[in-house]
Amino acid sequence: MELEQSLSAAVNASVLHAFETTLSMSAVETDPIEDQSGIDQIACSIGFTGQVEGNITIRINKDAACKFVSKMLMMDIQDVNEDVVDGCGELINLIAGGVKNRMTELGHSIGISLPTVIHGQYLKLSSSEANKKIQKYFNIDSFSMFVSLIFKINEQNNSGLPVDKGQNAIDRLNQLMNKSQ
Amino acid sequence: MKKILVVDDSGVQRKMIIQIIQKAGYTNGILEAGDGAQAIEVLGTNFEDIGLVLCDWNMPNMSGLEFIQGVAQVPPLASIPIVMVTTEGTEGKIAEARQANPNLAGYVAKPFTPEQLKSAIDPILKSA
């Protein structure tokens, strides 16, 4: 229960920090809003591994996505394009990264995957093996954002990410340096 | 004025960083790379013209950590200032990066404000 409370707090803090810092926008947690199916939406998801295994997903409508990425790039984007997809992927990356960092500081080992972005009208999130959920709604500049963390808790282990050795980088750099001399 | 190499697998993130650099008044040429492997190629062929590298950590093909480790081991390149710009913001990860490259010139945790990035690169570019 304590870990779930820490996760919930980490999600809140990461969402607020990501929007405030990157977009100078305030995110306020709100009550659940009505079903958004049928509205053009974007869902961005990142997987968690380690002590907390599952995924975190944000779901926003197309207009919110365009607005947020327009702010990132200081442009006026009206329709979902490559930049909007990339920008939304970066947004979930910031939020998931924040959750991971906060949980790591509390002594929990968690890794995250690369982001996935899905665009469509009838999006529903579910997971068959996970047995816990944290779901939140946020209001950001009159746009709504749904955040869902679906997960299970594993026993703490010490398996970390592989250590990069850097040898490939050294060899290639030396090759290029020798070519230029 | 030497060029700045921006390394991040997100095109949007690279654009945001470049906008901040240019708004800060640095009109150096900007080079880009989408992962550590591309950064190796760009740095290896343009090293005399590059005065600063801004580098993400988690990228496909080759991570930022492997990239900075490699650069630290190649003498003509080891003194090029590198600032990591990454979501890996814990003390442990910062220490890991500094161990990989003891010459690391700075570390900016995402998400960052334009002022935070500017504070990290100003001392480096103004002394160049």
Short mmCIF file of all heavy atoms in Angstrom, two decimals, chain A residues 59-106:
data_model
loop_
_atom_site.label_atom_id
_atom_site.label_comp_id
_atom_site.label_asym_id
_atom_site.label_seq_id
_atom_site.Cartn_x
_atom_site.Cartn_y
_atom_site.Cartn_z
N ARG A 59 -3.75 9.98 -22.03
CA ARG A 59 -4.67 10.06 -23.16
C ARG A 59 -5.23 11.48 -23.20
O ARG A 59 -5.76 11.99 -22.20
CB ARG A 59 -5.80 9.04 -22.99
CG ARG A 59 -6.64 8.84 -24.24
CD ARG A 59 -7.69 7.79 -24.04
NE ARG A 59 -8.65 8.18 -23.01
CZ ARG A 59 -9.45 7.32 -22.39
NH1 ARG A 59 -9.41 6.06 -22.67
NH2 ARG A 59 -10.29 7.75 -21.48
N ILE A 60 -5.06 12.12 -24.35
CA ILE A 60 -5.55 13.49 -24.55
C ILE A 60 -6.24 13.56 -25.90
O ILE A 60 -5.98 12.72 -26.76
CB ILE A 60 -4.40 14.53 -24.52
CG1 ILE A 60 -3.23 14.08 -25.43
CG2 ILE A 60 -3.90 14.76 -23.11
CD1 ILE A 60 -2.06 15.04 -25.48
N ASN A 61 -7.09 14.57 -26.09
CA ASN A 61 -7.70 14.67 -27.41
C ASN A 61 -6.76 15.38 -28.39
O ASN A 61 -5.74 15.97 -27.97
CB ASN A 61 -9.10 15.30 -27.36
CG ASN A 61 -9.07 16.77 -27.01
OD1 ASN A 61 -8.15 17.50 -27.36
ND2 ASN A 61 -10.12 17.22 -26.33
N LYS A 62 -7.09 15.29 -29.64
CA LYS A 62 -6.21 15.79 -30.71
C LYS A 62 -5.90 17.28 -30.52
O LYS A 62 -4.77 17.72 -30.69
CB LYS A 62 -6.94 15.56 -32.06
CG LYS A 62 -6.23 16.14 -33.26
CD LYS A 62 -7.19 16.43 -34.38
CE LYS A 62 -7.56 17.91 -34.38
NZ LYS A 62 -8.27 18.32 -35.58
N ASP A 63 -6.90 18.04 -30.12
CA ASP A 63 -6.70 19.49 -29.96
C ASP A 63 -5.70 19.78 -28.84
O ASP A 63 -4.86 20.68 -28.95
CB ASP A 63 -8.02 20.19 -29.66
CG ASP A 63 -8.96 20.15 -30.86
OD1 ASP A 63 -8.48 20.02 -32.00
OD2 ASP A 63 -10.20 20.24 -30.65
N ALA A 64 -5.80 19.01 -27.75
CA ALA A 64 -4.85 19.18 -26.64
C ALA A 64 -3.44 18.84 -27.10
O ALA A 64 -2.47 19.57 -26.81
CB ALA A 64 -5.25 18.30 -25.46
N ALA A 65 -3.31 17.75 -27.83
CA ALA A 65 -1.99 17.33 -28.31
C ALA A 65 -1.38 18.41 -29.20
O ALA A 65 -0.20 18.77 -29.05
CB ALA A 65 -2.10 16.01 -29.09
N CYS A 66 -2.18 18.93 -30.11
CA CYS A 66 -1.68 19.98 -31.02
C CYS A 66 -1.30 21.24 -30.22
O CYS A 66 -0.29 21.89 -30.50
CB CYS A 66 -2.73 20.33 -32.08
SG CYS A 66 -3.00 18.99 -33.28
N LYS A 67 -2.12 21.57 -29.23
CA LYS A 67 -1.85 22.77 -28.41
C LYS A 67 -0.55 22.61 -27.64
O LYS A 67 0.28 23.52 -27.61
CB LYS A 67 -3.02 22.96 -27.43
CG LYS A 67 -2.77 23.97 -26.33
CD LYS A 67 -3.05 25.37 -26.76
CE LYS A 67 -2.82 26.35 -25.60
NZ LYS A 67 -3.43 27.63 -25.83
N PHE A 68 -0.37 21.43 -27.00
CA PHE A 68 0.82 21.22 -26.18
C PHE A 68 2.08 21.27 -27.04
O PHE A 68 3.07 21.91 -26.69
CB PHE A 68 0.76 19.89 -25.42
CG PHE A 68 -0.36 19.77 -24.43
CD1 PHE A 68 -0.85 18.54 -24.04
CD2 PHE A 68 -0.96 20.92 -23.87
CE1 PHE A 68 -1.89 18.44 -23.13
CE2 PHE A 68 -1.99 20.83 -22.96
CZ PHE A 68 -2.47 19.58 -22.58
N VAL A 69 2.05 20.59 -28.17
CA VAL A 69 3.25 20.54 -29.02
C VAL A 69 3.48 21.89 -29.71
O VAL A 69 4.63 22.30 -29.92
CB VAL A 69 3.18 19.38 -30.03
CG1 VAL A 69 4.43 19.33 -30.91
CG2 VAL A 69 3.04 18.05 -29.31
N SER A 70 2.39 22.60 -30.00
CA SER A 70 2.54 23.96 -30.55
C SER A 70 3.32 24.83 -29.57
O SER A 70 4.18 25.62 -29.95
CB SER A 70 1.17 24.60 -30.79
OG SER A 70 0.50 23.98 -31.85
N LYS A 71 3.00 24.65 -28.28
CA LYS A 71 3.71 25.42 -27.24
C LYS A 71 5.16 25.00 -27.15
O LYS A 71 6.04 25.82 -26.97
CB LYS A 71 3.04 25.19 -25.88
CG LYS A 71 2.08 26.28 -25.47
CD LYS A 71 2.11 26.53 -23.98
CE LYS A 71 2.27 28.00 -23.68
NZ LYS A 71 2.44 28.32 -22.29
N MET A 72 5.42 23.71 -27.28
CA MET A 72 6.80 23.21 -27.21
C MET A 72 7.64 23.85 -28.31
O MET A 72 8.79 24.23 -28.10
CB MET A 72 6.84 21.69 -27.41
CG MET A 72 6.46 20.86 -26.22
SD MET A 72 6.60 19.09 -26.69
CE MET A 72 5.88 18.33 -25.26
N LEU A 73 7.06 23.91 -29.50
CA LEU A 73 7.84 24.33 -30.67
C LEU A 73 7.59 25.79 -31.05
O LEU A 73 8.17 26.29 -32.02
CB LEU A 73 7.50 23.43 -31.87
CG LEU A 73 7.86 21.96 -31.68
CD1 LEU A 73 7.44 21.15 -32.90
CD2 LEU A 73 9.37 21.80 -31.47
N MET A 74 6.73 26.45 -30.29
CA MET A 74 6.36 27.85 -30.58
C MET A 74 5.91 27.99 -32.03
O MET A 74 6.38 28.83 -32.78
CB MET A 74 7.53 28.77 -30.24
CG MET A 74 7.70 28.87 -28.74
SD MET A 74 8.99 29.98 -28.19
CE MET A 74 10.43 29.02 -28.48
N MET A 75 5.00 27.09 -32.41
CA MET A 75 4.40 27.13 -33.73
C MET A 75 2.90 27.00 -33.53
O MET A 75 2.44 26.78 -32.42
CB MET A 75 4.87 25.92 -34.56
CG MET A 75 6.34 25.89 -34.85
SD MET A 75 6.91 24.27 -35.41
CE MET A 75 5.96 24.03 -36.88
N ASP A 76 2.13 27.10 -34.63
CA ASP A 76 0.69 26.87 -34.54
C ASP A 76 0.37 25.62 -35.34
O ASP A 76 0.32 25.65 -36.56
CB ASP A 76 -0.06 28.09 -35.11
CG ASP A 76 -1.56 27.93 -34.97
OD1 ASP A 76 -2.00 27.11 -34.13
OD2 ASP A 76 -2.31 28.60 -35.72
N ILE A 77 0.19 24.50 -34.62
CA ILE A 77 -0.08 23.22 -35.29
C ILE A 77 -1.55 22.89 -35.12
O ILE A 77 -2.08 22.87 -34.01
CB ILE A 77 0.79 22.09 -34.67
CG1 ILE A 77 2.28 22.46 -34.75
CG2 ILE A 77 0.52 20.78 -35.37
CD1 ILE A 77 3.19 21.51 -34.01
N GLN A 78 -2.22 22.66 -36.22
CA GLN A 78 -3.67 22.44 -36.17
C GLN A 78 -4.05 20.96 -36.27
O GLN A 78 -5.13 20.56 -35.85
CB GLN A 78 -4.35 23.20 -37.33
CG GLN A 78 -4.18 24.70 -37.26
CD GLN A 78 -4.94 25.30 -36.09
OE1 GLN A 78 -6.02 24.83 -35.72
NE2 GLN A 78 -4.37 26.33 -35.47
N ASP A 79 -3.18 20.17 -36.89
CA ASP A 79 -3.51 18.75 -37.10
C ASP A 79 -2.37 17.86 -36.64
O ASP A 79 -1.21 18.28 -36.62
CB ASP A 79 -3.77 18.49 -38.59
CG ASP A 79 -5.26 18.55 -38.88
OD1 ASP A 79 -6.01 17.87 -38.16
OD2 ASP A 79 -5.65 19.30 -39.79
N VAL A 80 -2.71 16.62 -36.33
CA VAL A 80 -1.69 15.68 -35.85
C VAL A 80 -0.71 15.39 -36.98
O VAL A 80 -1.10 14.93 -38.04
CB VAL A 80 -2.35 14.37 -35.37
CG1 VAL A 80 -1.27 13.36 -34.97
CG2 VAL A 80 -3.27 14.65 -34.18
N ASN A 81 0.56 15.69 -36.75
CA ASN A 81 1.61 15.40 -37.71
C ASN A 81 2.76 14.72 -36.98
O ASN A 81 2.64 14.37 -35.80
CB ASN A 81 2.07 16.69 -38.43
CG ASN A 81 2.63 17.73 -37.46
OD1 ASN A 81 2.94 17.41 -36.31
ND2 ASN A 81 2.76 18.96 -37.92
N GLU A 82 3.87 14.55 -37.67
CA GLU A 82 5.01 13.83 -37.08
C GLU A 82 5.51 14.53 -35.81
O GLU A 82 5.87 13.88 -34.83
CB GLU A 82 6.12 13.80 -38.12
CG GLU A 82 7.18 12.75 -37.88
CD GLU A 82 8.23 12.77 -38.99
OE1 GLU A 82 7.86 12.55 -40.16
OE2 GLU A 82 9.41 13.02 -38.67
N ASP A 83 5.51 15.86 -35.82
CA ASP A 83 5.96 16.61 -34.65
C ASP A 83 5.03 16.37 -33.47
O ASP A 83 5.49 16.27 -32.32
CB ASP A 83 6.02 18.11 -34.95
CG ASP A 83 7.29 18.50 -35.69
OD1 ASP A 83 8.27 17.71 -35.68
OD2 ASP A 83 7.31 19.59 -36.29
N VAL A 84 3.74 16.31 -33.71
CA VAL A 84 2.78 16.11 -32.62
C VAL A 84 2.98 14.72 -32.02
O VAL A 84 2.99 14.56 -30.79
CB VAL A 84 1.32 16.28 -33.11
CG1 VAL A 84 0.32 15.91 -32.02
CG2 VAL A 84 1.09 17.72 -33.54
N VAL A 85 3.16 13.73 -32.86
CA VAL A 85 3.39 12.37 -32.37
C VAL A 85 4.68 12.32 -31.55
O VAL A 85 4.71 11.80 -30.44
CB VAL A 85 3.46 11.37 -33.55
CG1 VAL A 85 3.91 10.00 -33.10
CG2 VAL A 85 2.10 11.27 -34.24
N ASP A 86 5.73 12.90 -32.09
CA ASP A 86 7.03 12.92 -31.40
C ASP A 86 6.93 13.69 -30.08
O ASP A 86 7.42 13.25 -29.03
CB ASP A 86 8.06 13.57 -32.34
CG ASP A 86 9.48 13.48 -31.84
OD1 ASP A 86 9.67 13.13 -30.65
OD2 ASP A 86 10.41 13.79 -32.60
N GLY A 87 6.27 14.84 -30.14
CA GLY A 87 6.13 15.68 -28.95
C GLY A 87 5.34 14.99 -27.84
O GLY A 87 5.69 15.09 -26.66
N CYS A 88 4.28 14.28 -28.22
CA CYS A 88 3.51 13.53 -27.23
C CYS A 88 4.34 12.39 -26.64
O CYS A 88 4.28 12.11 -25.44
CB CYS A 88 2.22 12.98 -27.85
SG CYS A 88 1.02 14.26 -28.24
N GLY A 89 5.15 11.76 -27.48
CA GLY A 89 6.06 10.73 -26.98
C GLY A 89 7.05 11.31 -25.98
O GLY A 89 7.37 10.70 -24.97
N GLU A 90 7.49 12.52 -26.25
CA GLU A 90 8.43 13.18 -25.35
C GLU A 90 7.74 13.54 -24.03
O GLU A 90 8.32 13.45 -22.95
CB GLU A 90 9.00 14.43 -26.03
CG GLU A 90 10.20 15.04 -25.35
CD GLU A 90 11.39 14.10 -25.21
OE1 GLU A 90 11.48 13.09 -25.93
OE2 GLU A 90 12.23 14.39 -24.33
N LEU A 91 6.47 13.90 -24.11
CA LEU A 91 5.70 14.25 -22.91
C LEU A 91 5.56 13.05 -21.97
O LEU A 91 5.80 13.15 -20.76
CB LEU A 91 4.32 14.75 -23.34
CG LEU A 91 3.51 15.60 -22.38
CD1 LEU A 91 4.31 16.77 -21.87
CD2 LEU A 91 2.27 16.11 -23.12
N ILE A 92 5.17 11.89 -22.52
CA ILE A 92 5.06 10.71 -21.66
C ILE A 92 6.44 10.29 -21.16
O ILE A 92 6.57 9.80 -20.02
CB ILE A 92 4.33 9.53 -22.38
CG1 ILE A 92 4.08 8.36 -21.41
CG2 ILE A 92 5.11 9.02 -23.57
CD1 ILE A 92 3.14 8.66 -20.28
N ASN A 93 7.47 10.53 -21.95
CA ASN A 93 8.84 10.23 -21.53
C ASN A 93 9.21 11.06 -20.30
O ASN A 93 9.81 10.57 -19.34
CB ASN A 93 9.79 10.54 -22.68
CG ASN A 93 11.16 9.97 -22.46
OD1 ASN A 93 11.31 8.89 -21.89
ND2 ASN A 93 12.17 10.69 -22.90
N LEU A 94 8.85 12.35 -20.31
CA LEU A 94 9.14 13.23 -19.18
C LEU A 94 8.38 12.78 -17.93
O LEU A 94 8.93 12.76 -16.83
CB LEU A 94 8.74 14.67 -19.52
CG LEU A 94 9.54 15.36 -20.63
CD1 LEU A 94 8.96 16.74 -20.91
CD2 LEU A 94 11.01 15.46 -20.28
N ILE A 95 7.11 12.43 -18.11
CA ILE A 95 6.28 12.03 -16.98
C ILE A 95 6.77 10.70 -16.40
O ILE A 95 6.98 10.56 -15.18
CB ILE A 95 4.79 11.94 -17.38
CG1 ILE A 95 4.26 13.35 -17.73
CG2 ILE A 95 3.96 11.31 -16.28
CD1 ILE A 95 2.90 13.36 -18.39
N ALA A 96 6.99 9.72 -17.28
CA ALA A 96 7.46 8.41 -16.81
C ALA A 96 8.85 8.52 -16.19
O ALA A 96 9.15 7.87 -15.19
CB ALA A 96 7.48 7.41 -17.97
N GLY A 97 9.70 9.33 -16.79
CA GLY A 97 11.05 9.54 -16.25
C GLY A 97 10.99 10.15 -14.86
O GLY A 97 11.75 9.77 -13.96
N GLY A 98 10.07 11.08 -14.68
CA GLY A 98 9.90 11.70 -13.37
C GLY A 98 9.42 10.69 -12.33
O GLY A 98 9.91 10.69 -11.19
N VAL A 99 8.48 9.84 -12.72
CA VAL A 99 8.00 8.80 -11.80
C VAL A 99 9.15 7.86 -11.45
O VAL A 99 9.38 7.54 -10.28
CB VAL A 99 6.83 7.99 -12.44
CG1 VAL A 99 6.47 6.79 -11.58
CG2 VAL A 99 5.62 8.88 -12.63
N LYS A 100 9.89 7.45 -12.47
CA LYS A 100 11.01 6.54 -12.24
C LYS A 100 12.04 7.16 -11.29
O LYS A 100 12.48 6.52 -10.33
CB LYS A 100 11.68 6.21 -13.57
CG LYS A 100 12.89 5.32 -13.45
CD LYS A 100 13.68 5.34 -14.73
CE LYS A 100 15.13 4.96 -14.41
NZ LYS A 100 16.01 5.11 -15.51
N ASN A 101 12.40 8.42 -11.52
CA ASN A 101 13.41 9.08 -10.67
C ASN A 101 12.92 9.19 -9.23
O ASN A 101 13.67 8.93 -8.29
CB ASN A 101 13.75 10.46 -11.21
CG ASN A 101 14.54 10.39 -12.51
OD1 ASN A 101 15.13 9.36 -12.85
ND2 ASN A 101 14.54 11.48 -13.26
N ARG A 102 11.65 9.58 -9.06
CA ARG A 102 11.12 9.74 -7.71
C ARG A 102 11.07 8.41 -6.97
O ARG A 102 11.40 8.31 -5.79
CB ARG A 102 9.73 10.40 -7.75
CG ARG A 102 9.80 11.89 -8.08
CD ARG A 102 8.44 12.52 -8.33
NE ARG A 102 8.58 13.96 -8.47
CZ ARG A 102 8.92 14.58 -9.60
NH1 ARG A 102 9.11 13.89 -10.70
NH2 ARG A 102 9.05 15.90 -9.63
N MET A 103 10.68 7.35 -7.68
CA MET A 103 10.61 6.04 -7.03
C MET A 103 12.02 5.51 -6.74
O MET A 103 12.24 4.86 -5.72
CB MET A 103 9.85 5.06 -7.93
CG MET A 103 8.38 5.41 -8.14
SD MET A 103 7.45 5.60 -6.60
CE MET A 103 7.33 3.89 -6.08
N THR A 104 12.96 5.80 -7.62
CA THR A 104 14.35 5.37 -7.40
C THR A 104 14.91 6.04 -6.15
O THR A 104 15.59 5.40 -5.34
CB THR A 104 15.23 5.72 -8.61
OG1 THR A 104 14.73 5.06 -9.76
CG2 THR A 104 16.68 5.28 -8.39
N GLU A 105 14.62 7.32 -5.98
CA GLU A 105 15.11 8.04 -4.79
C GLU A 105 14.53 7.45 -3.50
O GLU A 105 15.11 7.57 -2.43
CB GLU A 105 14.73 9.54 -4.86
CG GLU A 105 15.27 10.30 -6.07
CD GLU A 105 16.75 10.68 -5.97
OE1 GLU A 105 17.45 10.17 -5.08
OE2 GLU A 105 17.21 11.45 -6.82
N LEU A 106 13.36 6.78 -3.63
CA LEU A 106 12.74 6.14 -2.46
C LEU A 106 13.25 4.72 -2.26
O LEU A 106 12.78 4.01 -1.37
CB LEU A 106 11.21 6.13 -2.62
CG LEU A 106 10.53 7.50 -2.59
CD1 LEU A 106 9.05 7.37 -2.92
CD2 LEU A 106 10.69 8.16 -1.22
#
